[in-house]
Amino acid sequence: MKNLIALILLAVPIFAQDDRLDELPFDDEPLQAESKSYFAIAGGYTFNVGMINLDEVNNFFSKFAPTLDNTEYQLGELSSPLIMHGGGGFTGIPFWKNIRIGFEAWAGSAETDEVSVMNEELSLISKGEFNVAMTALHADYGFVITDGLAVLAGMKLGWSGLNMIYSLSEPNYNWETLGSDTNLNMVEIDKSWLFVAPQVSIDWAATGFLMFSLNASYNINFDNPFLDDFEKNWKINRTASLDNVPTDLNIDQLNVRLGVYLGLFNY
């Protein structure tokens, strides 16, 4: 009987405390998940589509349309976009969260169809070639959307060059008579620039070692202030300057890039 009384006396304060449990200062707000940071080290191949205005390129080639027997032979026109191939690599910076820096280069070319110019005594071949090359450094800031998926915004700074060649020649020549042949003609013009390009990328890490990237950028070219007047100007046949070139003859462009990269992806 004494033991039963003792148990009852002990239970009274315990139940009394249970009635006040709701008054205790518990925080029932959910814990906030820490956002994941972007970090990657990689290198790979890029497939680029350049939306370049080629009107003045075609105008250049039309200037050299050969005429034979009162017939003018115009080259076929090139059309945009220009397909370019390249590659590059980048790395995150451990002490600078979500920032990556990198290097890339890409180039492409397009050719007109060969045009045969001939009569009973003469046979000539006319052709045009357009070449573009770009090299750039870039820095980007990454936002991790979910595991393996990130959006990056950044800027490129680089060097670019344009080269065009028109040629007119016979189907074949002899080494011994080179220099005396009159039907051998080639005109080349070229120019180089610096460029900046704001860019945005969507990167998907399919695994911790393989990543696919879709990128869009807009290249804005300008004269290189570190070159002298001759080097920054248009050149013809690499030895003379070319003046009054239309400003629309440039490689400002929207560039869309698909990249496949191998490396380490931790996001």
Side-chain angles (χ1 to χ4, degrees):
M1 185 65 178
K2 291 181 179 180
N3 292 337
L4 179 59
I5 294 173
L7 288 173
I8 293 174
L9 292 175
L10 288 173
V12 170
I14 292 175
F15 287 123
Q17 291 178 18
D18 287 344
D19 292 338
R20 302 184 62 189
L21 285 177
D22 292 339
E23 299 178 12
L24 295 178
F26 289 115
D27 187 358
D28 59 355
E29 291 186 5
L31 295 176
Q32 297 295 322
E34 183 179 355
S35 60
K36 198 168 186 179
S37 61
Y38 175 92
F39 185 82
I41 300 175
Y45 160 80
T46 61
F47 176 86
N48 299 264
V49 180
M51 314 299 181
I52 302 175
N53 185 340
L54 298 178
D55 291 346
E56 290 298 339
V57 175
N58 291 318
N59 185 40
F60 168 78
F61 291 133
S62 69
K63 293 177 179 293
F64 303 98
T67 300
L68 184 64
D69 297 337
N70 296 321
T71 300
E72 185 177 76
Y73 294 82
Q74 284 282 359
L75 293 174
E77 292 191 345
L78 300 176
S79 60
S80 189
L82 179 69
I83 302 301
M84 297 172 283
H85 302 275
F90 52 82
T91 180
I93 304 176
F95 55 85
W96 204 353
K97 187 178 178 181
N98 295 329
I99 296 293
R100 77 177 185 190
I101 57 174
F103 165 87
E104 59 183 299
W106 65 103
S109 63
E111 297 180 352
T112 67
D113 293 333
E114 291 184 352
V115 174
S116 296
V117 183
M118 63 182 66
N119 59 18
E120 294 181 357
E121 301 178 354
L122 185 64
S123 177
L124 299 173
I125 297 172
S126 178
K127 184 178 179 180
E129 182 179 340
F130 174 72
N131 304 292
V132 170
M134 297 185 175
T135 303
L137 302 174
H138 64 87
D140 306 272
Y141 186 90
F143 305 86
V144 178
I145 305 302
T146 186
D147 287 349
L149 184 66
V151 174
L152 298 102
M155 184 73 70
K156 292 189 184 87
L157 174 63
W159 304 262
S160 61
L162 180 157
N163 170 270
M164 292 191 294
I165 301 172
Y166 170 82
S167 61
L168 180 69
S169 61
E170 296 179 13
N172 63 291
Y173 292 90
N174 188 307
W175 176 266
E176 300 297 330
T177 59
L178 281 179
S180 60
D181 296 299
T182 57
N183 294 317
L184 180 59
N185 185 32
M186 185 168 71
V187 178
E188 178 183 20
I189 68 171
D190 63 86
K191 181 173 170 57
S192 62
W193 294 271
L194 292 180
F195 75 91
V196 294
Q199 65 175 359
V200 62
S201 305
I202 300 176
D203 289 4
W204 173 53
T207 72
F209 306 98
L210 174 66
M211 186 268 283
F212 298 94
S213 175
L214 179 63
N215 170 282
S217 62
Y218 192 85
N219 295 15
I220 304 170
N221 295 269
F222 55 93
D223 284 340
N224 188 340
F226 303 105
L227 298 179
D228 60 34
D229 289 341
F230 176 75
E231 290 298 329
K232 72 173 60 172
N233 198 19
W234 283 92
K235 294 185 288 294
I236 183 166
N237 289 350
R238 306 189 183 188
T239 56
S241 61
L242 179 63
D243 299 326
N244 298 319
V245 177
T247 56
D248 287 342
L249 182 52
N250 60 59
I251 47 178
D252 292 355
Q253 62 181 287
L254 171 65
N255 183 73
V256 178
R257 184 196 73 201
L258 176 64
V260 181
Y261 295 89
L262 298 176
L264 297 175
F265 307 99
N266 183 24
Y267 60 90

PDB file of all heavy atoms in Angstrom, residues 17-52:
ATOM      1  N   GLN A  17       3.604  18.501 -15.498  1.00  0.00           N
ATOM      2  CA  GLN A  17       4.600  19.027 -16.449  1.00  0.00           C
ATOM      3  C   GLN A  17       4.155  18.776 -17.882  1.00  0.00           C
ATOM      4  O   GLN A  17       4.377  19.589 -18.767  1.00  0.00           O
ATOM      5  CB  GLN A  17       5.954  18.382 -16.193  1.00  0.00           C
ATOM      6  CG  GLN A  17       6.588  18.819 -14.862  1.00  0.00           C
ATOM      7  CD  GLN A  17       7.901  18.119 -14.610  1.00  0.00           C
ATOM      8  OE1 GLN A  17       8.489  17.590 -15.534  1.00  0.00           O
ATOM      9  NE2 GLN A  17       8.344  18.127 -13.370  1.00  0.00           N
ATOM     10  N   ASP A  18       3.475  17.633 -18.167  1.00  0.00           N
ATOM     11  CA  ASP A  18       3.012  17.341 -19.522  1.00  0.00           C
ATOM     12  C   ASP A  18       2.044  18.398 -20.008  1.00  0.00           C
ATOM     13  O   ASP A  18       2.008  18.743 -21.184  1.00  0.00           O
ATOM     14  CB  ASP A  18       2.330  15.966 -19.563  1.00  0.00           C
ATOM     15  CG  ASP A  18       3.354  14.835 -19.450  1.00  0.00           C
ATOM     16  OD1 ASP A  18       4.540  15.127 -19.656  1.00  0.00           O
ATOM     17  OD2 ASP A  18       2.938  13.688 -19.163  1.00  0.00           O
ATOM     18  N   ASP A  19       1.222  18.943 -19.084  1.00  0.00           N
ATOM     19  CA  ASP A  19       0.254  19.965 -19.481  1.00  0.00           C
ATOM     20  C   ASP A  19       0.922  21.240 -19.965  1.00  0.00           C
ATOM     21  O   ASP A  19       0.316  22.045 -20.661  1.00  0.00           O
ATOM     22  CB  ASP A  19      -0.675  20.301 -18.306  1.00  0.00           C
ATOM     23  CG  ASP A  19      -1.578  19.113 -17.968  1.00  0.00           C
ATOM     24  OD1 ASP A  19      -1.756  18.267 -18.877  1.00  0.00           O
ATOM     25  OD2 ASP A  19      -2.069  19.061 -16.823  1.00  0.00           O
ATOM     26  N   ARG A  20       2.182  21.466 -19.596  1.00  0.00           N
ATOM     27  CA  ARG A  20       2.883  22.711 -19.965  1.00  0.00           C
ATOM     28  C   ARG A  20       3.913  22.508 -21.074  1.00  0.00           C
ATOM     29  O   ARG A  20       4.715  23.375 -21.343  1.00  0.00           O
ATOM     30  CB  ARG A  20       3.567  23.288 -18.725  1.00  0.00           C
ATOM     31  CG  ARG A  20       2.592  23.576 -17.589  1.00  0.00           C
ATOM     32  CD  ARG A  20       3.288  24.225 -16.420  1.00  0.00           C
ATOM     33  NE  ARG A  20       3.858  25.501 -16.811  1.00  0.00           N
ATOM     34  CZ  ARG A  20       4.677  26.214 -16.019  1.00  0.00           C
ATOM     35  NH1 ARG A  20       5.028  25.755 -14.828  1.00  0.00           N
ATOM     36  NH2 ARG A  20       5.139  27.375 -16.437  1.00  0.00           N
ATOM     37  N   LEU A  21       3.920  21.314 -21.709  1.00  0.00           N
ATOM     38  CA  LEU A  21       4.911  21.053 -22.767  1.00  0.00           C
ATOM     39  C   LEU A  21       4.755  22.014 -23.941  1.00  0.00           C
ATOM     40  O   LEU A  21       5.728  22.421 -24.574  1.00  0.00           O
ATOM     41  CB  LEU A  21       4.767  19.614 -23.274  1.00  0.00           C
ATOM     42  CG  LEU A  21       5.304  18.528 -22.337  1.00  0.00           C
ATOM     43  CD1 LEU A  21       5.037  17.144 -22.928  1.00  0.00           C
ATOM     44  CD2 LEU A  21       6.797  18.728 -22.081  1.00  0.00           C
ATOM     45  N   ASP A  22       3.491  22.398 -24.266  1.00  0.00           N
ATOM     46  CA  ASP A  22       3.268  23.295 -25.403  1.00  0.00           C
ATOM     47  C   ASP A  22       3.840  24.682 -25.167  1.00  0.00           C
ATOM     48  O   ASP A  22       3.996  25.469 -26.100  1.00  0.00           O
ATOM     49  CB  ASP A  22       1.769  23.419 -25.692  1.00  0.00           C
ATOM     50  CG  ASP A  22       1.194  22.114 -26.225  1.00  0.00           C
ATOM     51  OD1 ASP A  22       1.994  21.300 -26.728  1.00  0.00           O
ATOM     52  OD2 ASP A  22      -0.037  21.919 -26.116  1.00  0.00           O
ATOM     53  N   GLU A  23       4.117  25.008 -23.896  1.00  0.00           N
ATOM     54  CA  GLU A  23       4.643  26.330 -23.596  1.00  0.00           C
ATOM     55  C   GLU A  23       6.161  26.417 -23.763  1.00  0.00           C
ATOM     56  O   GLU A  23       6.726  27.497 -23.725  1.00  0.00           O
ATOM     57  CB  GLU A  23       4.286  26.708 -22.154  1.00  0.00           C
ATOM     58  CG  GLU A  23       2.785  26.758 -21.914  1.00  0.00           C
ATOM     59  CD  GLU A  23       2.468  27.081 -20.470  1.00  0.00           C
ATOM     60  OE1 GLU A  23       3.427  27.484 -19.747  1.00  0.00           O
ATOM     61  OE2 GLU A  23       1.308  26.942 -20.058  1.00  0.00           O
ATOM     62  N   LEU A  24       6.810  25.257 -23.969  1.00  0.00           N
ATOM     63  CA  LEU A  24       8.273  25.272 -24.132  1.00  0.00           C
ATOM     64  C   LEU A  24       8.636  25.905 -25.471  1.00  0.00           C
ATOM     65  O   LEU A  24       7.942  25.716 -26.476  1.00  0.00           O
ATOM     66  CB  LEU A  24       8.822  23.847 -24.044  1.00  0.00           C
ATOM     67  CG  LEU A  24       8.643  23.170 -22.675  1.00  0.00           C
ATOM     68  CD1 LEU A  24       9.178  21.744 -22.718  1.00  0.00           C
ATOM     69  CD2 LEU A  24       9.342  23.959 -21.578  1.00  0.00           C
ATOM     70  N   PRO A  25       9.777  26.637 -25.554  1.00  0.00           N
ATOM     71  CA  PRO A  25      10.131  27.411 -26.773  1.00  0.00           C
ATOM     72  C   PRO A  25      10.780  26.564 -27.866  1.00  0.00           C
ATOM     73  O   PRO A  25      11.949  26.712 -28.176  1.00  0.00           O
ATOM     74  CB  PRO A  25      11.121  28.455 -26.223  1.00  0.00           C
ATOM     75  CG  PRO A  25      11.784  27.764 -25.090  1.00  0.00           C
ATOM     76  CD  PRO A  25      10.717  26.905 -24.448  1.00  0.00           C
ATOM     77  N   PHE A  26      10.026  25.621 -28.453  1.00  0.00           N
ATOM     78  CA  PHE A  26      10.549  24.842 -29.572  1.00  0.00           C
ATOM     79  C   PHE A  26      10.361  25.620 -30.866  1.00  0.00           C
ATOM     80  O   PHE A  26       9.313  26.229 -31.089  1.00  0.00           O
ATOM     81  CB  PHE A  26       9.833  23.486 -29.678  1.00  0.00           C
ATOM     82  CG  PHE A  26      10.189  22.524 -28.562  1.00  0.00           C
ATOM     83  CD1 PHE A  26       9.231  22.111 -27.651  1.00  0.00           C
ATOM     84  CD2 PHE A  26      11.478  22.051 -28.437  1.00  0.00           C
ATOM     85  CE1 PHE A  26       9.555  21.242 -26.629  1.00  0.00           C
ATOM     86  CE2 PHE A  26      11.808  21.174 -27.418  1.00  0.00           C
ATOM     87  CZ  PHE A  26      10.858  20.767 -26.520  1.00  0.00           C
ATOM     88  N   ASP A  27      11.373  25.589 -31.800  1.00  0.00           N
ATOM     89  CA  ASP A  27      11.288  26.235 -33.113  1.00  0.00           C
ATOM     90  C   ASP A  27      10.888  25.186 -34.132  1.00  0.00           C
ATOM     91  O   ASP A  27      11.661  24.273 -34.437  1.00  0.00           O
ATOM     92  CB  ASP A  27      12.648  26.850 -33.486  1.00  0.00           C
ATOM     93  CG  ASP A  27      12.566  27.687 -34.757  1.00  0.00           C
ATOM     94  OD1 ASP A  27      11.466  27.749 -35.342  1.00  0.00           O
ATOM     95  OD2 ASP A  27      13.601  28.268 -35.138  1.00  0.00           O
ATOM     96  N   ASP A  28       9.659  25.293 -34.636  1.00  0.00           N
ATOM     97  CA  ASP A  28       9.179  24.286 -35.581  1.00  0.00           C
ATOM     98  C   ASP A  28       9.375  24.681 -37.039  1.00  0.00           C
ATOM     99  O   ASP A  28       8.839  24.048 -37.941  1.00  0.00           O
ATOM    100  CB  ASP A  28       7.691  23.994 -35.328  1.00  0.00           C
ATOM    101  CG  ASP A  28       6.834  25.240 -35.478  1.00  0.00           C
ATOM    102  OD1 ASP A  28       7.408  26.319 -35.685  1.00  0.00           O
ATOM    103  OD2 ASP A  28       5.591  25.117 -35.380  1.00  0.00           O
ATOM    104  N   GLU A  29      10.160  25.748 -37.341  1.00  0.00           N
ATOM    105  CA  GLU A  29      10.435  26.125 -38.723  1.00  0.00           C
ATOM    106  C   GLU A  29      11.381  25.115 -39.355  1.00  0.00           C
ATOM    107  O   GLU A  29      12.312  24.630 -38.713  1.00  0.00           O
ATOM    108  CB  GLU A  29      11.078  27.517 -38.784  1.00  0.00           C
ATOM    109  CG  GLU A  29      10.126  28.631 -38.387  1.00  0.00           C
ATOM    110  CD  GLU A  29      10.774  29.992 -38.598  1.00  0.00           C
ATOM    111  OE1 GLU A  29      11.909  30.011 -39.133  1.00  0.00           O
ATOM    112  OE2 GLU A  29      10.155  30.997 -38.248  1.00  0.00           O
ATOM    113  N   PRO A  30      11.176  24.753 -40.644  1.00  0.00           N
ATOM    114  CA  PRO A  30      12.058  23.773 -41.303  1.00  0.00           C
ATOM    115  C   PRO A  30      13.464  24.322 -41.462  1.00  0.00           C
ATOM    116  O   PRO A  30      13.678  25.518 -41.653  1.00  0.00           O
ATOM    117  CB  PRO A  30      11.380  23.561 -42.674  1.00  0.00           C
ATOM    118  CG  PRO A  30      10.580  24.808 -42.896  1.00  0.00           C
ATOM    119  CD  PRO A  30      10.119  25.247 -41.530  1.00  0.00           C
ATOM    120  N   LEU A  31      14.436  23.418 -41.401  1.00  0.00           N
ATOM    121  CA  LEU A  31      15.825  23.806 -41.581  1.00  0.00           C
ATOM    122  C   LEU A  31      16.053  24.245 -43.021  1.00  0.00           C
ATOM    123  O   LEU A  31      15.551  23.632 -43.963  1.00  0.00           O
ATOM    124  CB  LEU A  31      16.750  22.631 -41.240  1.00  0.00           C
ATOM    125  CG  LEU A  31      16.722  22.180 -39.771  1.00  0.00           C
ATOM    126  CD1 LEU A  31      17.602  20.939 -39.593  1.00  0.00           C
ATOM    127  CD2 LEU A  31      17.196  23.306 -38.853  1.00  0.00           C
ATOM    128  N   GLN A  32      16.812  25.321 -43.213  1.00  0.00           N
ATOM    129  CA  GLN A  32      17.115  25.827 -44.550  1.00  0.00           C
ATOM    130  C   GLN A  32      18.295  25.053 -45.148  1.00  0.00           C
ATOM    131  O   GLN A  32      19.357  24.961 -44.543  1.00  0.00           O
ATOM    132  CB  GLN A  32      17.471  27.329 -44.490  1.00  0.00           C
ATOM    133  CG  GLN A  32      16.333  28.200 -44.000  1.00  0.00           C
ATOM    134  CD  GLN A  32      15.166  28.181 -44.965  1.00  0.00           C
ATOM    135  OE1 GLN A  32      15.358  28.160 -46.179  1.00  0.00           O
ATOM    136  NE2 GLN A  32      13.962  28.181 -44.424  1.00  0.00           N
ATOM    137  N   ALA A  33      18.081  24.477 -46.356  1.00  0.00           N
ATOM    138  CA  ALA A  33      19.163  23.744 -47.023  1.00  0.00           C
ATOM    139  C   ALA A  33      20.173  24.728 -47.594  1.00  0.00           C
ATOM    140  O   ALA A  33      19.802  25.735 -48.201  1.00  0.00           O
ATOM    141  CB  ALA A  33      18.582  22.885 -48.136  1.00  0.00           C
ATOM    142  N   GLU A  34      21.422  24.451 -47.396  1.00  0.00           N
ATOM    143  CA  GLU A  34      22.476  25.328 -47.907  1.00  0.00           C
ATOM    144  C   GLU A  34      22.589  25.168 -49.417  1.00  0.00           C
ATOM    145  O   GLU A  34      22.608  24.052 -49.939  1.00  0.00           O
ATOM    146  CB  GLU A  34      23.803  24.970 -47.244  1.00  0.00           C
ATOM    147  CG  GLU A  34      24.944  25.893 -47.662  1.00  0.00           C
ATOM    148  CD  GLU A  34      26.249  25.529 -46.963  1.00  0.00           C
ATOM    149  OE1 GLU A  34      26.230  24.632 -46.110  1.00  0.00           O
ATOM    150  OE2 GLU A  34      27.268  26.162 -47.296  1.00  0.00           O
ATOM    151  N   SER A  35      22.631  26.297 -50.153  1.00  0.00           N
ATOM    152  CA  SER A  35      22.725  26.235 -51.606  1.00  0.00           C
ATOM    153  C   SER A  35      24.057  25.638 -52.024  1.00  0.00           C
ATOM    154  O   SER A  35      25.094  25.897 -51.408  1.00  0.00           O
ATOM    155  CB  SER A  35      22.575  27.635 -52.206  1.00  0.00           C
ATOM    156  OG  SER A  35      23.597  28.480 -51.731  1.00  0.00           O
ATOM    157  N   LYS A  36      24.002  24.841 -53.097  1.00  0.00           N
ATOM    158  CA  LYS A  36      25.199  24.151 -53.561  1.00  0.00           C
ATOM    159  C   LYS A  36      26.012  25.078 -54.447  1.00  0.00           C
ATOM    160  O   LYS A  36      25.457  25.805 -55.283  1.00  0.00           O
ATOM    161  CB  LYS A  36      24.794  22.896 -54.335  1.00  0.00           C
ATOM    162  CG  LYS A  36      25.913  21.885 -54.488  1.00  0.00           C
ATOM    163  CD  LYS A  36      25.370  20.562 -55.001  1.00  0.00           C
ATOM    164  CE  LYS A  36      26.472  19.517 -55.015  1.00  0.00           C
ATOM    165  NZ  LYS A  36      25.963  18.205 -55.491  1.00  0.00           N
ATOM    166  N   SER A  37      27.307  25.063 -54.313  1.00  0.00           N
ATOM    167  CA  SER A  37      28.175  25.934 -55.110  1.00  0.00           C
ATOM    168  C   SER A  37      28.619  25.210 -56.374  1.00  0.00           C
ATOM    169  O   SER A  37      28.598  23.985 -56.461  1.00  0.00           O
ATOM    170  CB  SER A  37      29.387  26.380 -54.294  1.00  0.00           C
ATOM    171  OG  SER A  37      30.152  25.258 -53.903  1.00  0.00           O
ATOM    172  N   TYR A  38      29.044  26.013 -57.375  1.00  0.00           N
ATOM    173  CA  TYR A  38      29.500  25.472 -58.660  1.00  0.00           C
ATOM    174  C   TYR A  38      31.015  25.318 -58.638  1.00  0.00           C
ATOM    175  O   TYR A  38      31.733  26.240 -58.267  1.00  0.00           O
ATOM    176  CB  TYR A  38      29.103  26.418 -59.796  1.00  0.00           C
ATOM    177  CG  TYR A  38      29.641  25.998 -61.150  1.00  0.00           C
ATOM    178  CD1 TYR A  38      28.894  25.186 -61.983  1.00  0.00           C
ATOM    179  CD2 TYR A  38      30.911  26.392 -61.577  1.00  0.00           C
ATOM    180  CE1 TYR A  38      29.373  24.777 -63.212  1.00  0.00           C
ATOM    181  CE2 TYR A  38      31.401  25.987 -62.806  1.00  0.00           C
ATOM    182  CZ  TYR A  38      30.638  25.183 -63.618  1.00  0.00           C
ATOM    183  OH  TYR A  38      31.125  24.782 -64.826  1.00  0.00           O
ATOM    184  N   PHE A  39      31.487  24.151 -59.061  1.00  0.00           N
ATOM    185  CA  PHE A  39      32.931  23.949 -59.217  1.00  0.00           C
ATOM    186  C   PHE A  39      33.162  22.880 -60.275  1.00  0.00           C
ATOM    187  O   PHE A  39      32.513  21.827 -60.269  1.00  0.00           O
ATOM    188  CB  PHE A  39      33.597  23.520 -57.915  1.00  0.00           C
ATOM    189  CG  PHE A  39      35.102  23.423 -58.036  1.00  0.00           C
ATOM    190  CD1 PHE A  39      35.888  24.560 -57.917  1.00  0.00           C
ATOM    191  CD2 PHE A  39      35.714  22.206 -58.314  1.00  0.00           C
ATOM    192  CE1 PHE A  39      37.259  24.489 -58.046  1.00  0.00           C
ATOM    193  CE2 PHE A  39      37.092  22.131 -58.457  1.00  0.00           C
ATOM    194  CZ  PHE A  39      37.868  23.274 -58.315  1.00  0.00           C
ATOM    195  N   ALA A  40      34.094  23.151 -61.202  1.00  0.00           N
ATOM    196  CA  ALA A  40      34.402  22.191 -62.263  1.00  0.00           C
ATOM    197  C   ALA A  40      35.799  22.449 -62.802  1.00  0.00           C
ATOM    198  O   ALA A  40      36.287  23.586 -62.808  1.00  0.00           O
ATOM    199  CB  ALA A  40      33.377  22.292 -63.389  1.00  0.00           C
ATOM    200  N   ILE A  41      36.426  21.386 -63.267  1.00  0.00           N
ATOM    201  CA  ILE A  41      37.694  21.458 -64.002  1.00  0.00           C
ATOM    202  C   ILE A  41      37.522  20.564 -65.223  1.00  0.00           C
ATOM    203  O   ILE A  41      37.227  19.369 -65.081  1.00  0.00           O
ATOM    204  CB  ILE A  41      38.890  20.968 -63.166  1.00  0.00           C
ATOM    205  CG1 ILE A  41      39.050  21.804 -61.892  1.00  0.00           C
ATOM    206  CG2 ILE A  41      40.176  21.017 -63.987  1.00  0.00           C
ATOM    207  CD1 ILE A  41      40.146  21.290 -60.974  1.00  0.00           C
ATOM    208  N   ALA A  42      37.666  21.117 -66.439  1.00  0.00           N
ATOM    209  CA  ALA A  42      37.346  20.317 -67.619  1.00  0.00           C
ATOM    210  C   ALA A  42      37.991  20.881 -68.875  1.00  0.00           C
ATOM    211  O   ALA A  42      38.457  22.017 -68.915  1.00  0.00           O
ATOM    212  CB  ALA A  42      35.837  20.247 -67.798  1.00  0.00           C
ATOM    213  N   GLY A  43      37.967  20.066 -69.917  1.00  0.00           N
ATOM    214  CA  GLY A  43      38.380  20.465 -71.253  1.00  0.00           C
ATOM    215  C   GLY A  43      37.580  19.667 -72.259  1.00  0.00           C
ATOM    216  O   GLY A  43      37.107  18.557 -71.960  1.00  0.00           O
ATOM    217  N   GLY A  44      37.405  20.219 -73.480  1.00  0.00           N
ATOM    218  CA  GLY A  44      36.616  19.476 -74.451  1.00  0.00           C
ATOM    219  C   GLY A  44      36.501  20.141 -75.798  1.00  0.00           C
ATOM    220  O   GLY A  44      37.209  21.100 -76.123  1.00  0.00           O
ATOM    221  N   TYR A  45      35.567  19.621 -76.586  1.00  0.00           N
ATOM    222  CA  TYR A  45      35.327  20.033 -77.979  1.00  0.00           C
ATOM    223  C   TYR A  45      34.094  20.933 -78.048  1.00  0.00           C
ATOM    224  O   TYR A  45      33.136  20.734 -77.308  1.00  0.00           O
ATOM    225  CB  TYR A  45      35.112  18.793 -78.846  1.00  0.00           C
ATOM    226  CG  TYR A  45      34.406  19.070 -80.157  1.00  0.00           C
ATOM    227  CD1 TYR A  45      35.109  19.592 -81.247  1.00  0.00           C
ATOM    228  CD2 TYR A  45      33.044  18.819 -80.298  1.00  0.00           C
ATOM    229  CE1 TYR A  45      34.454  19.853 -82.455  1.00  0.00           C
ATOM    230  CE2 TYR A  45      32.383  19.070 -81.494  1.00  0.00           C
ATOM    231  CZ  TYR A  45      33.102  19.594 -82.564  1.00  0.00           C
ATOM    232  OH  TYR A  45      32.455  19.866 -83.744  1.00  0.00           O
ATOM    233  N   THR A  46      34.129  21.913 -78.964  1.00  0.00           N
ATOM    234  CA  THR A  46      32.984  22.795 -79.160  1.00  0.00           C
ATOM    235  C   THR A  46      32.581  22.851 -80.631  1.00  0.00           C
ATOM    236  O   THR A  46      33.423  22.898 -81.522  1.00  0.00           O
ATOM    237  CB  THR A  46      33.265  24.222 -78.661  1.00  0.00           C
ATOM    238  OG1 THR A  46      34.360  24.784 -79.397  1.00  0.00           O
ATOM    239  CG2 THR A  46      33.594  24.214 -77.180  1.00  0.00           C
ATOM    240  N   PHE A  47      31.275  22.854 -80.849  1.00  0.00           N
ATOM    241  CA  PHE A  47      30.678  23.013 -82.180  1.00  0.00           C
ATOM    242  C   PHE A  47      29.967  24.361 -82.185  1.00  0.00           C
ATOM    243  O   PHE A  47      29.049  24.588 -81.395  1.00  0.00           O
ATOM    244  CB  PHE A  47      29.693  21.869 -82.440  1.00  0.00           C
ATOM    245  CG  PHE A  47      28.951  21.973 -83.740  1.00  0.00           C
ATOM    246  CD1 PHE A  47      29.507  21.477 -84.907  1.00  0.00           C
ATOM    247  CD2 PHE A  47      27.694  22.550 -83.793  1.00  0.00           C
ATOM    248  CE1 PHE A  47      28.821  21.561 -86.112  1.00  0.00           C
ATOM    249  CE2 PHE A  47      26.994  22.648 -84.984  1.00  0.00           C
ATOM    250  CZ  PHE A  47      27.558  22.147 -86.145  1.00  0.00           C
ATOM    251  N   ASN A  48      30.415  25.273 -83.049  1.00  0.00           N
ATOM    252  CA  ASN A  48      29.942  26.656 -83.039  1.00  0.00           C
ATOM    253  C   ASN A  48      29.162  26.988 -84.310  1.00  0.00           C
ATOM    254  O   ASN A  48      29.544  26.585 -85.414  1.00  0.00           O
ATOM    255  CB  ASN A  48      31.120  27.626 -82.933  1.00  0.00           C
ATOM    256  CG  ASN A  48      31.919  27.427 -81.666  1.00  0.00           C
ATOM    257  OD1 ASN A  48      31.713  28.108 -80.672  1.00  0.00           O
ATOM    258  ND2 ASN A  48      32.850  26.477 -81.683  1.00  0.00           N
ATOM    259  N   VAL A  49      28.086  27.751 -84.130  1.00  0.00           N
ATOM    260  CA  VAL A  49      27.287  28.245 -85.255  1.00  0.00           C
ATOM    261  C   VAL A  49      27.307  29.767 -85.190  1.00  0.00           C
ATOM    262  O   VAL A  49      26.746  30.360 -84.264  1.00  0.00           O
ATOM    263  CB  VAL A  49      25.843  27.719 -85.190  1.00  0.00           C
ATOM    264  CG1 VAL A  49      25.037  28.245 -86.366  1.00  0.00           C
ATOM    265  CG2 VAL A  49      25.826  26.195 -85.174  1.00  0.00           C
ATOM    266  N   GLY A  50      27.982  30.402 -86.148  1.00  0.00           N
ATOM    267  CA  GLY A  50      28.142  31.850 -86.155  1.00  0.00           C
ATOM    268  C   GLY A  50      27.185  32.527 -87.125  1.00  0.00           C
ATOM    269  O   GLY A  50      27.223  32.246 -88.331  1.00  0.00           O
ATOM    270  N   MET A  51      26.343  33.419 -86.597  1.00  0.00           N
ATOM    271  CA  MET A  51      25.380  34.144 -87.442  1.00  0.00           C
ATOM    272  C   MET A  51      26.063  35.406 -87.996  1.00  0.00           C
ATOM    273  O   MET A  51      25.829  36.528 -87.538  1.00  0.00           O
ATOM    274  CB  MET A  51      24.142  34.526 -86.629  1.00  0.00           C
ATOM    275  CG  MET A  51      23.590  33.402 -85.773  1.00  0.00           C
ATOM    276  SD  MET A  51      23.047  31.970 -86.729  1.00  0.00           S
ATOM    277  CE  MET A  51      22.435  30.908 -85.409  1.00  0.00           C
ATOM    278  N   ILE A  52      26.919  35.228 -88.989  1.00  0.00           N
ATOM    279  CA  ILE A  52      27.723  36.319 -89.551  1.00  0.00           C
ATOM    280  C   ILE A  52      27.042  36.871 -90.805  1.00  0.00           C
ATOM    281  O   ILE A  52      26.584  36.103 -91.667  1.00  0.00           O
ATOM    282  CB  ILE A  52      29.146  35.827 -89.891  1.00  0.00           C
ATOM    283  CG1 ILE A  52      29.816  35.255 -88.642  1.00  0.00           C
ATOM    284  CG2 ILE A  52      29.985  36.955 -90.473  1.00  0.00           C
ATOM    285  CD1 ILE A  52      31.178  34.647 -88.916  1.00  0.00           C
TER     286      ILE A  52
END
